Amino acid sequence: MPQYESRREEIINSIIPQPQSASQVTTRGQMQRKSDEPDRQLTQKLKEKVKTDPWFRDNRSLLTFRDGLAWKGSKLYLPASLRIRALQHSHLGFLKTLHLVQQQFWWPGMKKDIESYVQR
């Protein structure tokens, strides 16, 4: 279903500035390291937020904890403090947003949260 493909690459590319002149051209390896940096920063922020998330602390046994991240099956648990950020990049109406977010993430009350966000 192409209409439901992740926009992750598009979002990351919009964050990384394009070279302005020949002196700013970088190799593929350098670009790869640069494009990995937002992922590393986001992963680090997620790890920090998971540790302090009240729901996670009270319900840790319901999730699997690997490499500092919490998982519900194959879906990444998203702490309350980062949920709006995930929704800001996928406002396509309730059903499409729900489908896109559910592909990668899980949190308790997700459907209700997305419905409230889309209705704003």
Side-chain angles (χ1 to χ4, degrees):
M1 291 189 257
Q3 70 268 26
Y4 297 119
E5 290 180 12
S6 172
R7 293 181 49 216
R8 181 173 164 240
E9 185 176 337
E10 176 185 329
I11 293 165
I12 290 173
N13 286 337
S14 70
I15 295 169
I16 300 169
Q18 297 300 314
Q20 300 291 322
S21 68
S23 65
Q24 294 175 310
V25 173
T26 56
T27 66
R28 285 185 187 164
Q30 290 169 324
M31 286 302 289
Q32 183 62 39
R33 285 189 294 277
K34 282 184 182 180
S35 67
D36 287 348
E37 186 58 30
D39 283 347
R40 279 193 290 274
Q41 290 174 355
L42 187 57
T43 300
Q44 186 58 37
K45 187 173 191 171
L46 183 57
K47 288 177 180 182
E48 292 167 7
K49 297 291 184 179
V50 164
K51 292 176 188 174
T52 61
D53 184 68
W55 187 91
F56 175 74
R57 281 188 302 215
D58 296 341
N59 299 280
R60 185 176 179 153
S61 64
L62 300 175
L63 303 172
T64 304
F65 198 67
R66 290 189 314 260
D67 300 322
L69 299 171
W71 299 85
K72 177 84 168 181
S74 64
K75 313 235 167 123
L76 185 61
Y77 169 71
L78 205 56
S81 59
L82 296 176
R83 294 173 189 165
I84 292 296
R85 185 173 177 181
L87 295 175
Q88 288 173 334
H89 296 290
S90 59
H91 190 327
L92 305 167
F94 172 68
L95 289 177
K96 286 183 181 179
T97 301
L98 179 65
H99 180 77
L100 285 171
V101 173
Q102 282 181 330
Q103 286 180 342
Q104 298 179 31
F105 303 110
W106 179 88
W107 68 79
M110 175 188 280
K111 185 175 179 181
K112 186 182 100 198
D113 289 351
I114 292 172
E115 187 173 22
S116 295
Y117 179 80
V118 171
Q119 287 177 352
R120 288 199 269 157

